[in-house]
Amino acid sequence: MNFVDEHKFIERTLESCPKCINSKLLEKHSIVAYGLKTYLAVVNWDGLSPEHCYIAPMAHCASLGLVAMWRDGKAEAEEEGEQDCVFVETALNVREQQHMSIECIPLPKELGELAPIYFKKAIMESEKEWSDNKKLIDLAKLSRNSVRGAIPKGFPYFAVNFGLQPGFAHVIEDDRKFPANFAQEIVGGMLDLPHHHWRNPKKQSFDKVTEKRNGLKKMWAKYDWTEIVRSELDGSGEDVQNN
């Protein structure tokens, strides 16, 4: 791909991205809170629970960092509400430079405790029996508990964390066959939900998404670190937009 073709490809990708903060396709009424470089939003389909949400960078990124504070706050909020949660990241079609995001799916406490067993089994049984890469990567055994150093650069992958605890990662051998709704199917099965919740999810109305956003915003308020950071930056005279 020459420079002109690459530029056109990037331009088309950005124009059609539903998660870039300046995109016309982003449903801004779904956004719960804005960070400095990332944001928290509810999913615009019925989801696996009313609090089913995702964390995404504002700019178009194919990988995601700077999410620890979101994850810590969301996990604490769920824990206080006597719920657990899983954070899932599925990176498919890496060459297409898709906008990355991490989904947060709440679970009842008793199911949250079983989630590592369900996900480990599903990952071990995924794809073909033989693979070039280690099928299950235990993030708890890595020094930084992070998927970043565990996955070879440029490879598609799946990763899951359980609340504040590190979970598992998996190098996807064939992203044409790996289901994009892999995590949703596991959690949906755990919750005994109808298949339509993850197989053919229907987009919700503006009012329904707004209702979910308002509900999560109320729940999130106590843990909203973004307001604290912004007030500190305002007080220090720093430019919030550059942080």
Side-chain angles (χ1 to χ4, degrees):
M1 185 183 293
N2 59 39
F3 176 78
V4 175
D5 289 340
E6 184 176 1
H7 177 74
K8 288 181 178 178
F9 171 75
I10 293 173
E11 199 172 57
R12 285 196 304 271
T13 300
L14 295 178
E15 286 177 355
S16 61
C17 180
K19 291 179 180 175
C20 284
I21 201 68
N22 293 320
S23 171
K24 294 179 180 178
L25 299 180
L26 174 63
E27 298 186 356
K28 292 186 171 60
H29 59 285
S30 68
I31 297 178
V32 176
Y34 293 90
L36 303 180
K37 296 181 180 180
T38 51
Y39 65 87
L40 174 70
V42 294
V43 296
N44 64 358
W45 43 286
D46 52 0
L48 303 181
S49 89
E51 293 85 33
H52 189 161
C53 57
Y54 68 91
I55 305 160
M58 293 183 182
H60 194 92
C61 297
S63 63
L64 188 57
L66 305 173
V67 300
M69 295 177 77
W70 288 113
R71 198 168 73 186
D72 291 353
K74 194 69 179 71
E76 287 178 20
E78 296 296 348
E79 188 172 340
E80 185 167 303
E82 297 186 353
Q83 289 199 102
D84 215 327
C85 58
V86 295
F87 295 92
V88 297
E89 185 177 3
T90 307
L92 298 172
N93 305 315
V94 177
R95 292 182 180 178
E96 294 182 11
Q97 297 289 306
Q98 294 184 350
H99 197 130
M100 203 56 217
S101 64
I102 291 179
E103 283 187 43
C104 172
I105 310 173
L107 281 169
K109 203 74 174 175
E110 62 274 13
L111 287 181
E113 293 173 356
L114 297 174
I117 299 172
Y118 278 87
F119 274 90
K120 183 175 183 178
K121 183 176 185 294
I123 291 172
M124 292 302 294
E125 294 176 352
S126 67
E127 302 192 273
K128 54 191 177 184
E129 291 184 13
W130 180 87
S131 60
D132 294 325
N133 298 282
K134 187 176 180 180
K135 182 159 281 194
L136 182 81
I137 301 169
D138 189 342
L139 298 178
K141 295 181 179 179
L142 302 181
S143 58
R144 296 179 61 186
N145 303 146
S146 171
V147 69
R148 303 291 162 242
I151 304 297
K153 188 175 181 180
F155 276 65
Y157 65 89
F158 170 80
V160 57
N161 287 288
F162 308 105
L164 297 175
Q165 303 304 314
F168 308 121
H170 167 69
V171 177
I172 297 171
E173 298 288 335
D174 188 346
D175 56 3
R176 295 169 299 177
K177 296 181 179 179
F178 192 87
N181 60 359
F182 181 73
Q184 291 84 356
E185 185 168 357
I186 296 170
V187 176
M190 293 173 67
L191 293 170
D192 198 24
L193 294 174
H195 292 175
H196 70 79
H197 278 272
W198 66 87
R199 285 188 180 167
N200 295 296
K202 292 184 179 180
K203 186 176 177 180
Q204 291 182 312
S205 67
F206 179 96
D207 290 343
K208 187 61 180 177
V209 173
T210 301
E211 180 185 337
K212 290 198 305 183
R213 187 275 313 272
N214 291 342
L216 185 55
K217 196 177 184 73
K218 183 177 180 180
M219 174 186 176
W220 173 251
K222 182 178 177 180
Y223 308 91
D224 192 356
W225 57 270
T226 64
E227 294 299 326
I228 298 172
V229 172
R230 287 179 183 279
S231 63
E232 289 179 351
L233 289 174
D234 288 342
S236 67
E238 292 185 46
D239 184 355
V240 174
Q241 297 300 321
N242 291 328
N243 286 272

